[in-house]
Amino acid sequence: MSATQCQAPRDTKKENDLTIIPIKPAPRANLTWPEEGLTRVPYPVFQSKDVYADEQNNIFRGAHWNFLCLEVELPNPGDFRATFVGDTPVVVTRDTDGELYAFENRCAHRGALVCLEDQGNTKDFSCVYHAWTYNLQGDLQGVAFKDGINGRGGMKPDFCMQDHGLRKLRVETLHGLVFGSYSDDVAPLDEYLGQEIVERIARVLEGRKPVVLGRFTQMLPNNWKLYVENVKDSYHASILHLFFTTFQLNRLSQRGGIIVDPSGAHHVSYSAVDHAQETSSKDYSQQNIRSESGHRLEDTSVLKGTDEFGDGVTLQILSVFPGFVLQQIQNAIAVRQILPRGTEETELNWTYLGFEDDTPALREMRLRQANLVGPAGYVSMEDGCVGGFVQRGIEGAQSACSVIEMGGDTAESSESRVTEASIRGFWKAYRHAMNY
């Protein structure tokens, strides 16, 4: 039977000419959510292997959009980039038709990786194990010794190559960001994000061609959801991050606010520095927190920025459920990809961005301010360890819960950043996805 005569598998679905294979749900983890709802999170959710398995199926391989890479990383036909959706290895390609494709990095034969490099350019992918070969859309094109040798061996006569392509994802792009989904039911990407989130992404990226300035991969000693909580926690920055408050880059008394998507899934936290107001502020000195240090900088150029967006906002942290972050801290622009690596470890990928039309002065400013963030950033190095403090602290606390009541008990947008509303929003979306 030739490939053109093969029939598609009975339970596959078509979406934009991509074969979407439904994922069967895994057995449910035994977890009871407290009656207090969004203001309580049971600690076993950060520890249970059954919960972790459910998350892979219901969230990462469920009806959600996962950040894959940047369009600028795949400018030419044949370009590819290896990435992950949750803990599943995935390859993103640009084919000769100019379109982007994504599929699992797992040979349909015996499960080996078909792409062994992080990025590059190729005409096809051939598994090193048994040389099953796939095109840039993930379709099986060749099987070594398919017809045997001298009429002996080989695959059965009814073997159909089109039934053995790599599992494919839907792909959509927005302002140069590439997202993928296993689901043919999830809404289009712009609808999934909602107008406010789309506008805030456009604010930073629309009409600009990014340039990758650098990358870091940081391994965190904690569950992935603890880092997501940290990203969405707008008020810890004034307490945990000595650099932020000492040099007045981010204080809760500054102009700003929180945007929480109605679903709770996505959020934006933003603020604007006002040094004239902050110099006389007494709010922080009365809180017994680490904000009144005697530290000073020999070189203060890292604190100097320019208003490249014309709105005075000096900090914007935006998250997309389940694991994407777009940051603007002064003129330091970066995207972060949050990937689970078991119940107690998270891979955090940082990509620092400039833009093709940057002036030399602005490019130098971005590079200087890149020192603010990342694994050893003046601001964010504390985030690399505090999640581990939580993971270690909750060991054995199977019947206890965290308390998330700052700013009330709802998951709504707010003009105040002294709130945990966006964290409650995450758990609202999480519980919906996990059916808790």
Side-chain angles (χ1 to χ4, degrees), residues 193-201 203 232 234 256-262 264-270 316-319 411-417 419 421-423 425:
L193 296 173
Q195 182 178 350
E196 285 187 299
I197 303 299
V198 169
E199 289 177 351
R200 286 288 178 157
I201 292 175
R203 171 184 172 271
K232 291 175 175 284
S234 56
I258 295 286
I259 298 171
V260 183
D261 175 73
H266 326 302
H267 103 291
V268 179
S269 173
Y270 63 95
Q316 175 180 288
I317 304 296
L318 179 152
S319 71
E412 299 175 348
S413 299
S414 169
E415 293 183 358
S416 170
R417 291 178 296 131
T419 179
S422 52
I423 302 176

Side-chain angles (χ1 to χ4, degrees), residues 70-91:
L70 300 164
E71 270 196 277
V72 73
E73 297 176 286
L74 304 164
N76 303 309
D79 287 346
F80 68 86
R81 180 153 184 84
T83 184
F84 287 85
V85 170
D87 58 13
T88 303
V90 168
V91 180

Side-chain angles (χ1 to χ4, degrees), residues 24-31 48-58 434 436:
K24 294 181 180 179
R28 297 286 302 154
N30 183 19
L31 181 70
S48 166
K49 292 182 179 179
D50 291 336
V51 169
Y52 181 86
D54 282 354
E55 290 169 350
Q56 298 305 312
N57 283 289
N58 298 337
M434 296 285 284
Y436 285 143

Side-chain angles (χ1 to χ4, degrees), residues 307-378:
D307 185 7
E308 63 181 297
F309 304 107
D311 56 9
V313 171
T314 50
L315 181 144
Q316 175 180 288
I317 304 296
L318 179 152
S319 71
V320 173
F321 186 91
F324 170 76
V325 180
L326 171 64
Q327 71 156 59
Q328 172 226 337
I329 301 178
Q330 301 283 77
N331 301 103
I333 312 297
V335 296
R336 310 177 201 170
Q337 181 188 36
I338 304 167
L339 297 174
R341 291 290 177 261
T343 57
E344 297 185 4
E345 192 170 40
T346 299
E347 179 178 321
L348 178 60
N349 294 318
W350 300 75
T351 303
Y352 296 82
L353 301 179
F355 297 93
E356 200 171 54
D357 60 356
D358 284 349
T359 64
L362 181 54
R363 180 64 57 82
E364 181 179 354
M365 189 179 298
R366 295 194 199 283
L367 292 171
R368 284 181 181 275
Q369 292 174 357
N371 290 288
L372 296 172
V373 292
Y378 297 144

Side-chain angles (χ1 to χ4, degrees), residues 162-380:
Q162 79 176 42
D163 291 348
H164 297 278
L166 304 176
R167 179 174 288 163
K168 300 181 181 181
L169 288 74
R170 289 173 59 189
V171 175
E172 288 196 22
T173 63
L174 179 70
H175 299 308
L177 306 173
V178 182
F179 287 81
S181 178
Y182 278 89
S183 174
D184 56 353
D185 296 322
V186 65
L189 181 59
D190 57 347
E191 293 181 22
Y192 176 81
L193 296 173
Q195 182 178 350
E196 285 187 299
I197 303 299
V198 169
E199 289 177 351
R200 286 288 178 157
I201 292 175
R203 171 184 172 271
V204 178
L205 299 176
E206 185 176 23
R208 313 176 81 186
K209 185 176 181 180
V211 175
V212 175
L213 301 182
R215 304 180 195 275
F216 291 97
T217 294
Q218 181 179 7
M219 300 306 297
L220 304 175
N222 51 263
N223 188 278
W224 69 277
K225 298 183 294 297
L226 289 174
Y227 185 75
V228 174
E229 279 195 332
N230 178 276
V231 167
K232 291 175 175 284
D233 182 343
S234 56
Y235 93 99
H236 85 274
S238 290
I239 303 170
L240 178 65
H241 300 309
L242 182 66
F243 193 94
F244 255 161
T245 50
T246 297
F247 300 107
Q248 301 180 11
L249 292 181
N250 182 12
R251 290 194 172 196
L252 296 172
S253 52
Q254 294 169 352
R255 173 175 66 88
I258 295 286
I259 298 171
V260 183
D261 175 73
S263 71
H266 326 302
H267 103 291
V268 179
S269 173
Y270 63 95
S271 62
V273 170
D274 184 347
H275 289 296
Q277 175 186 347
E278 293 301 326
T279 300
S280 60
S281 175
K282 297 181 180 179
D283 295 330
Y284 278 75
S285 60
Q286 299 172 352
Q287 298 300 319
N288 192 31
I289 58 179
R290 302 192 313 152
S291 62
E292 299 297 323
S293 76
H295 294 295
R296 295 294 179 265
L297 292 172
E298 289 287 341
D299 181 358
T300 60
S301 61
V302 72
L303 304 176
K304 297 176 182 177
T306 184
D307 185 7
E308 63 181 297
F309 304 107
D311 56 9
V313 171
T314 50
L315 181 144
Q316 175 180 288
I317 304 296
L318 179 152
S319 71
V320 173
F321 186 91
F324 170 76
V325 180
L326 171 64
Q327 71 156 59
Q328 172 226 337
I329 301 178
Q330 301 283 77
N331 301 103
I333 312 297
V335 296
R336 310 177 201 170
Q337 181 188 36
I338 304 167
L339 297 174
R341 291 290 177 261
T343 57
E344 297 185 4
E345 192 170 40
T346 299
E347 179 178 321
L348 178 60
N349 294 318
W350 300 75
T351 303
Y352 296 82
L353 301 179
F355 297 93
E356 200 171 54
D357 60 356
D358 284 349
T359 64
L362 181 54
R363 180 64 57 82
E364 181 179 354
M365 189 179 298
R366 295 194 199 283
L367 292 171
R368 284 181 181 275
Q369 292 174 357
N371 290 288
L372 296 172
V373 292
Y378 297 144
V379 172
S380 61

Side-chain angles (χ1 to χ4, degrees), residues 31-34 40-47 397-398 400-402 427:
L31 181 70
T32 301
W33 210 270
R40 298 291 187 276
V41 177
Y43 287 137
V45 80
F46 303 109
Q47 302 166 308
Q398 294 299 305
C401 303
S402 61
W427 291 112

